[in-house]
Structure formats: structure tokens, C-alpha cells
Amino acid sequence: MINSGNWRDLKEVALREGVSRKAFTGEGATLATNYFTPGHTPMPHSHMHEQIALILEGEAEFHVGDEVVKLSEGGFVVIPPHVEHYLQVVGEKNVVNMDVFTPKRPEYVED
């Protein structure tokens, strides 16, 4: 059976002040869109997943380990598993980024 839908129909979940997310998880990977407002509090973290982050709107700095990569619309970065990282908005425009995680992140599934 094919699993399909429309991204616009997915529930946007507030994670904390200035950060929200929509996500879909398949059998082996998770696709998520994150929405960040200027002034949000960055949250350094790491996880067992490889993460590919693509900026859809705005400008951001990705802090990945000891490196910082400034990305604008269309820019992407690959974050290896178990490496501490976080995103920080640059400027006054909201940032929308899309992430692909592998293996999948079942905790992103909404009931």
C-alpha cells in the first residue's frame, strides 16, 4: 500500500517559544519542516540520526560541532550522527528548514 498525503494537512506542533514543526515518518526515514522566528532560544543537541537540513526560507547559521555554516534559501548541510548542533536565525526574517533524518524518528509521529 502506498502512503501519501498533503503537507498542508499535517498538524504543526509548537515545540517551544519561536519554534514549531510538521513531520512525516515512513518506514526508514523522517521528513520534517521546522519554523523558527528571530530571537528564538537555540537548543544545542545531538541524536543518533544523520540529518540533512535544507533552508527553504530565510537565513540561518548551523552550528555543527566546532564549525558554523551560514545558509540561505537553497543551502543545505549534512549533520552526522551524534554530533552536537543547532540552528540560529540570522536577521529579522523567519526561517523555514526541511530536514531528512535516517534512520526514522518515530517520536516525530503525531497521534
Side-chain angles (χ1 to χ4, degrees):
M1 178 195 275
I2 293 176
N3 198 345
S4 66
N6 190 305
W7 202 257
R8 287 178 239 149
D9 296 335
L10 296 178
K11 181 181 174 186
E12 186 174 336
V13 177
L15 302 175
R16 61 183 185 278
E17 184 70 32
V19 182
S20 61
R21 169 179 67 218
K22 288 185 177 187
F24 175 81
T25 296
E27 288 299 315
T30 296
L31 181 63
T33 302
N34 300 288
Y35 307 88
F36 297 90
T37 61
H40 80 280
T41 302
M43 298 285 290
H45 64 282
S46 64
H47 42 70
M48 64 170 276
H49 310 85
E50 178 181 57
Q51 176 179 349
I52 301 171
L54 169 67
I55 299 295
L56 300 176
E57 296 177 19
E59 277 191 305
E61 289 182 346
F62 268 93
H63 297 252
V64 182
D66 294 331
E67 299 182 58
V68 178
V69 179
K70 187 173 181 181
L71 299 174
S72 57
E73 296 175 18
F76 64 88
V77 62
V78 177
I79 302 164
H82 307 289
V83 174
E84 188 173 81
H85 59 280
Y86 63 93
L87 177 148
Q88 190 161 17
V89 173
V90 173
E92 296 303 316
K93 185 176 177 185
N94 290 353
V95 169
V96 179
N97 91 288
M98 182 164 280
D99 292 324
V100 176
F101 296 97
T102 185
K104 68 181 179 179
R105 297 194 66 161
E107 73 273 22
Y108 277 27
V109 175
E110 285 295 311
D111 294 325

